[in-house]
Amino acid sequence: MSTGRIITYFVAAILILIGLGLAVIIGLSYIVQAGSGGSITIGLVFLIIGFLMIAGGVYLIYMAGRGKMGAVTENVTLKVDLPANIRLDTLKCRSCGGTLTMDNIQMVAGAPVVNCPYCHSTYQLTEEPKW
Ligand SMILES: [Zn+2]
């Protein structure tokens, strides 16, 4: 399972969970309490927003399952080009140890080049041998 797909499922899960929370808990409680501090209109708005978020989450899972990523994981193409054993979530600057993100890495002539935002050093990201 690729990192991009895991991120997609993670985002989808958050969308669905928040959607369920909005739709079921907030929306229904507003409708149930209509007339005593609640409002059917506000409840319906929450329900619609919740269902849209659930639909978005389901759509993301559907797209991830088909191997097509949405705009949420548009960095996937760049990640695939990086050496396999470099984990972006633990990537640190080799000069100052600062945590790097995908925004700090550019593809130059097919090779990933790090531009550290902390110490402003620039170097090519190479695969370190495991043996
Ligand atoms: Zn640095």
Side-chain angles (χ1 to χ4, degrees):
M1 197 179 242
S2 68
T3 306
R5 184 167 293 188
I6 292 172
I7 292 173
T8 304
Y9 281 129
F10 185 69
V11 171
I14 290 176
L15 274 176
I16 292 174
L17 282 176
I18 296 176
L20 279 173
L22 281 174
V24 176
I25 298 173
I26 301 178
L28 289 183
S29 68
Y30 264 107
I31 292 175
V32 167
Q33 294 170 24
S36 60
S39 164
I40 291 178
T41 307
I42 295 175
L44 283 177
V45 169
F46 273 109
L47 276 178
I48 292 171
I49 293 174
F51 282 127
L52 282 177
M53 293 182 75
I54 293 171
V58 172
Y59 176 75
L60 275 179
I61 291 175
Y62 173 73
M63 293 302 280
R66 288 169 57 95
K68 295 178 179 176
M69 299 301 162
V72 178
T73 52
E74 59 189 8
N75 285 331
V76 169
T77 312
L78 183 55
K79 286 179 182 175
V80 170
D81 290 336
L82 294 173
N85 68 339
I86 293 178
R87 295 182 174 278
L88 290 169
D89 50 353
T90 58
L91 194 60
K92 296 195 188 318
C93 174
R94 82 174 55 155
S95 297
C96 69
T99 304
L100 300 170
T101 67
M102 285 305 296
D103 295 332
N104 307 129
I105 300 173
Q106 292 178 313
M107 297 302 289
V108 178
V113 173
V114 172
N115 291 299
C116 179
Y118 308 106
C119 65
H120 302 288
S121 64
T122 302
Y123 56 87
Q124 186 169 326
L125 198 62
T126 51
E127 198 167 355
E128 295 177 17
K130 288 178 177 174
W131 55 86

